[in-house]
Amino acid sequence: MSLFFSKIMVIARLGFKECLLVVTYRVMIKLSLHPACKIKANSPTQPFYSKSRHPPVDLPPISTWKEYGSLFSHIKIPLNNSPPDWMINPISGQKSGQNLLPWWKISDFDESIGDVKLIWEKSRMDWVLAFAQRIRNGDEDSLVSLNSWLTDWLEKNPPYFGINWKCGQEASIRVINLCSAALILGQELKPLPSLIDLIELHLCRIASTIHYAIAQNNNHGTSEAAALFIGGNFLTSNGSPNGGRWERLGRYWLEDRSDKLIENDGSFSQYSLNYHRMLIDTFSIVEIWRKKLRGHPFSSRFYHKTKLATLWLYQMVDPVSGDGPNFGANDGARLLQFTDADYRDFRPTIQLAMALFHGCSAYTGTGSWTLQLAWLNIPAPANEPPAFSNCNYDDGGYKLLHSGRATLLFRHAQFRYRPSQADILHLDLWVNGSNLLRDAGSYSYNSIPDMSGYFSGTASHNTIQFDDRDQMPKLSRFLFGNWLETNNLSSISQSNDRVSCFAGYKDYLGARHLRKVDLGESSLRVEDKVMGFASKAVLRWRLPDGNWSFETSRGSVVASDGLNKLSISSDIPILRTDLVDGWESLYYMQKQIVPVLEIEIGIAGTIYSEFCWVV
């Protein structure tokens, strides 16, 4: 299939209307003809917040943004009692000198500063929540710091100038954090005038490009709709004449996005665990804000889809560690940072959403998962959550299998929206809180040197790669062509203590892969039948860290680290067995080496794998 035809096929799958919107937007921005290029605003002056109107609470504030700041939960930046440099990449030290340029004249990818998210992250204003928590507990110095930091930010980032105004979603996250701080401090009603002005100038920016965000069919649309709804409601409730239209626009797109982007099984359009968390946090703060200011409820359809998406995330996440499979794009995004819970702990999000939308507590006891409820004054329901179960999430291309303390995620191809990773038939195994067979993650969208091809490619997953190519060809940095489709798909079946299912696909060059999985309490059996490739097929198992070694005997392979054992055989000759170094990224802009077992064959056949662990 030609590259041209592949692009036409992808455009059809993305939607001609959406693609036309994107192209038109980019052309008009390039020519400075878009209405977004015409908006102007003056910077308000401090103070933005006053002393808390709520009494102090006996709750720990987050520890960051005091002596040091934290980006993506692992990059520390010293503060020295002053605001950070809003324009510097803390890893490379390179600084954006474009703060006096209108945002639409700044390139999307500037190699001189590296990954722009390293600059944007500080301006998402997570620190506003940290200061608000301390102010709530009576820390007057934090009130001074919060107002002075906001003043400094506006001086360095005047409205609609500079790199931090480039993205409407970045502006939306700021609005959500600014309004969440108002909730903590009891200033959602009768706030200081400068806070109203600050929110309003952000909403002007967001509303001017909302249709571009919607056309992407991802979290940009949900985040920006949420900011318009929350910010518009904030303005309306405090007498601003402009808030009503933004509130209505935000409500309209929240209803539309929830219905369109959440599948009937709860899967989200971005095929990513972390973006799913961001979706749930977004809808949670929208509902909290609506209830607080006594707004009209959303439609029953909105709540139905939100409940499905919440339950999906609850089922996906390991309750022991709070972590979950590292699949899909992961840019480090995290909303509602009220706790010191690790970035990889999804329980605070799930506990909050289950309380709001299901009227139950996902987890018992006290821990990081209870603090968000406490800070937002939401009672923890006494009702128990649903049981963990085998789930056929086939609308999104997932199957969840449970046996004893073992959980297996089985990924297959079902793309109504664009895939971000070539990870079809990947397996992710969790046993009692430990991730034994794992995904590589996504590391960075614009690293130097560029590693996005590895992390999004087939070689970074527990599946089979044909002829050293990805399962789908890359058409651009964020776009695959020739989207795969699943064939030979089964439902999950159970027999005694073992559960099983299968799925397969045929790729754009005719290679076929059928994978059958069978999970028990102490072992996973996998059968991989492959054919139609040109010269080789490589099976990879990405293993937990340990002192792994392997032995071969009569065409079979046994690898072990002393606790876990992986046995592999085949009905055709195994040409190569290697234990190699692979990469894994659990946090954005962080990577580490993991052991990967590679098995290579040269003709059509079936490979049998059995992975055993200590119960």
Side-chain angles (χ1 to χ4, degrees):
M1 184 180 294
S2 70
L3 183 62
F4 174 78
F5 187 66
S6 294
K7 289 183 177 179
I8 295 298
M9 290 285 289
V10 167
I11 290 172
R13 296 291 296 272
L14 291 172
F16 287 106
K17 177 182 177 182
E18 286 81 357
C19 291
L20 181 61
L21 280 170
V22 169
V23 171
T24 301
Y25 165 81
R26 290 178 176 172
V27 169
M28 292 185 71
I29 285 291
K30 187 75 173 178
L31 299 175
S32 300
L33 297 176
H34 196 279
C37 304
K38 312 301 180 185
I39 60 173
K40 296 180 180 180
N42 296 318
S43 293
T45 58
Q46 65 168 310
F48 301 92
Y49 294 95
S50 57
K51 291 182 180 180
S52 176
R53 295 171 191 162
H54 290 317
V57 289
D58 186 21
L59 296 171
I62 58 175
S63 60
T64 51
W65 301 107
K66 194 170 185 180
E67 296 178 359
Y68 65 90
S70 178
L71 307 183
F72 312 117
S73 303
H74 72 98
I75 301 173
K76 293 184 177 180
I77 53 173
L79 296 177
N80 299 319
N81 297 316
S82 60
D85 189 326
W86 309 111
M87 298 296 171
I88 200 167
N89 179 325
I91 292 181
S92 69
Q94 295 297 312
K95 189 170 182 176
S96 172
Q98 305 179 93
N99 59 313
L100 297 181
L101 275 179
W103 67 263
W104 64 89
K105 293 186 177 181
I106 299 173
S107 171
D108 288 338
F109 295 97
D110 185 347
E111 296 297 335
S112 68
I113 60 172
D115 193 327
V116 69
K117 285 183 59 59
L118 286 160
I119 294 178
W120 282 352
E121 187 72 7
K122 290 167 286 187
S123 292
R124 288 188 162 187
M125 296 189 178
D126 300 325
W127 42 269
V128 171
L129 297 180
F131 284 129
Q133 288 177 318
R134 295 179 191 129
I135 296 166
R136 173 76 179 269
N137 285 340
D139 184 351
E140 295 186 7
D141 289 340
S142 289
L143 177 59
V144 174
S145 296
L146 175 54
N147 285 317
S148 65
W149 278 39
L150 287 169
T151 298
D152 186 76
W153 190 88
L154 284 164
E155 288 176 354
K156 306 300 192 307
N157 299 274
Y160 320 134
F161 286 83
I163 201 165
N164 286 314
W165 287 103
K166 180 71 182 170
C167 177
Q169 179 171 235
E170 299 302 309
S172 298
I173 293 172
R174 288 197 288 272
V175 168
I176 291 171
N177 282 329
L178 290 165
C179 289
S180 296
L183 282 179
I184 292 174
L185 298 174
Q187 295 171 27
E188 68 276 8
L189 295 175
K190 298 182 180 179
L192 296 181
S194 288
L195 181 59
I196 295 176
D197 293 342
L198 181 57
I199 298 295
E200 185 164 357
L201 68 87
H202 274 80
L203 297 186
C204 285
R205 166 66 185 90
I206 298 163
S208 69
T209 56
I210 184 64
H211 291 286
Y212 173 65
I214 296 301
Q216 297 177 65
N217 285 329
N218 61 16
N219 63 49
H220 284 249
T222 56
S223 302
E224 295 182 36
L228 288 171
F229 174 79
I230 293 171
N233 183 268
F234 176 75
L235 295 180
T236 300
S237 300
N238 290 288
S240 174
N242 297 320
R245 59 189 176 94
W246 286 324
E247 179 184 356
R248 290 189 295 274
L249 183 62
R251 181 184 284 270
Y252 172 83
W253 285 119
L254 284 168
E255 294 276 7
D256 177 88
R257 298 293 85 187
S258 65
D259 191 39
K260 181 173 182 179
L261 302 186
I262 299 174
E263 304 284 5
N264 290 327
D265 63 6
S267 303
F268 180 48
S269 67
Q270 286 191 268
Y271 313 114
S272 158
L273 192 73
N274 194 59
Y275 280 152
H276 200 106
R277 169 169 63 178
M278 186 175 183
L279 170 80
I280 298 302
D281 276 337
T282 301
F283 285 3
S284 289
I285 192 61
V286 162
E287 180 66 1
I288 290 167
W289 189 270
R290 183 199 66 77
K291 285 185 173 182
K292 186 69 176 179
L293 275 73
R294 296 182 175 87
H296 294 298
F298 291 94
S299 68
S300 59
R301 184 68 174 169
F302 173 89
Y303 291 114
H304 172 69
K305 284 296 192 80
T306 302
K307 286 179 180 179
L308 290 172
T310 299
L311 190 58
W312 184 100
L313 188 62
Y314 166 74
Q315 292 282 357
M316 282 282 179
V317 168
D318 174 71
V320 176
S321 65
D323 202 350
N326 194 25
F327 66 86
N330 181 358
D331 65 0
R334 181 164 60 148
L335 292 178
L336 310 186
Q337 294 190 42
F338 294 107
T339 81
D340 277 333
D342 187 84
Y343 168 78
R344 300 233 37 113
D345 189 347
F346 289 72
R347 288 172 295 185
T349 291
I350 296 169
Q351 185 83 330
L352 177 61
M354 290 292 278
L356 288 171
F357 301 116
H358 284 270
C360 67
S361 292
Y363 311 105
T364 59
T366 59
S368 61
W369 54 91
T370 62
L371 287 176
Q372 277 180 316
L373 293 172
W375 275 108
L376 293 165
N377 196 30
I378 298 172
N383 296 331
E384 295 184 358
F388 292 101
S389 61
N390 298 319
C391 301
N392 291 293
Y393 289 141
D394 294 326
D395 289 343
Y398 315 95
K399 290 184 179 294
L400 272 180
L401 289 72
H402 293 276
S403 181
R405 295 183 176 182
T407 301
L408 183 73
L409 170 68
F410 185 16
R411 183 84 172 98
H412 66 86
Q414 183 67 11
F415 298 123
R416 198 155 68 97
Y417 299 96
R418 61 181 178 180
S420 64
Q421 297 203 339
D423 59 353
I424 304 310
L425 304 190
H426 166 80
L427 296 175
D428 217 278
L429 176 66
W430 289 76
V431 178
N432 198 30
S434 296
N435 191 191
L436 300 185
L437 298 174
R438 52 223 293 143
D439 196 307
S442 56
Y443 181 53
S444 171
Y445 297 156
N446 190 30
S447 61
I448 301 174
D450 184 10
M451 297 187 68
S452 60
Y454 170 81
F455 281 96
S456 66
T458 305
S460 66
H461 297 93
N462 295 317
T463 188
I464 287 182
Q465 182 180 28
F466 296 118
D467 301 320
D468 292 326
R469 56 181 167 79
D470 284 332
Q471 296 166 333
M472 300 170 286
K474 264 290 185 71
L475 301 182
S476 66
R477 184 187 295 266
F478 297 116
L479 188 62
F480 283 103
N482 300 102
W483 298 356
L484 294 179
E485 295 182 2
T486 293
N487 54 37
N488 298 314
L489 180 66
S490 77
S491 292
I492 299 171
S493 62
Q494 184 159 0
S495 177
N496 297 322
D497 64 340
R498 302 195 71 86
V499 288
S500 60
C501 64
F502 61 82
Y505 71 85
K506 177 182 178 181
D507 75 9
Y508 67 107
L509 293 179
R512 296 174 181 266
H513 182 189
L514 175 65
R515 169 164 278 185
K516 298 179 180 180
V517 300
D518 181 85
L519 177 69
E521 294 185 1
S522 60
S523 68
L524 168 66
R525 300 167 189 159
V526 182
E527 177 183 313
D528 289 304
K529 185 176 183 179
V530 295
M531 63 188 74
F533 53 95
S535 61
K536 66 178 179 178
V538 177
L539 168 65
R540 291 183 177 86
W541 291 115
R542 301 173 52 80
L543 304 168
D545 191 29
N547 187 23
W548 285 87
S549 61
F550 69 89
E551 296 180 353
T552 59
S553 175
R554 297 181 180 179
S556 64
V557 180
V558 177
S560 176
D561 66 349
L563 291 176
N564 308 291
K565 184 174 75 171
L566 175 59
S567 303
I568 299 176
S569 61
S570 177
D571 64 0
I572 45 96
I574 294 175
L575 300 182
R576 177 178 66 87
T577 302
D578 277 326
L579 195 60
V580 302
D581 288 339
W583 289 108
E584 177 185 59
S585 177
L586 296 175
Y587 304 85
Y588 196 70
M589 292 300 303
Q590 173 266 2
K591 64 184 189 298
Q592 60 195 26
I593 291 175
V594 294
V596 181
L597 186 69
E598 294 186 345
I599 304 294
E600 181 180 329
I601 59 174
I603 58 175
T606 303
I607 305 174
Y608 304 92
S609 304
E610 183 174 26
F611 187 82
C612 301
W613 56 88
V614 177
V615 177

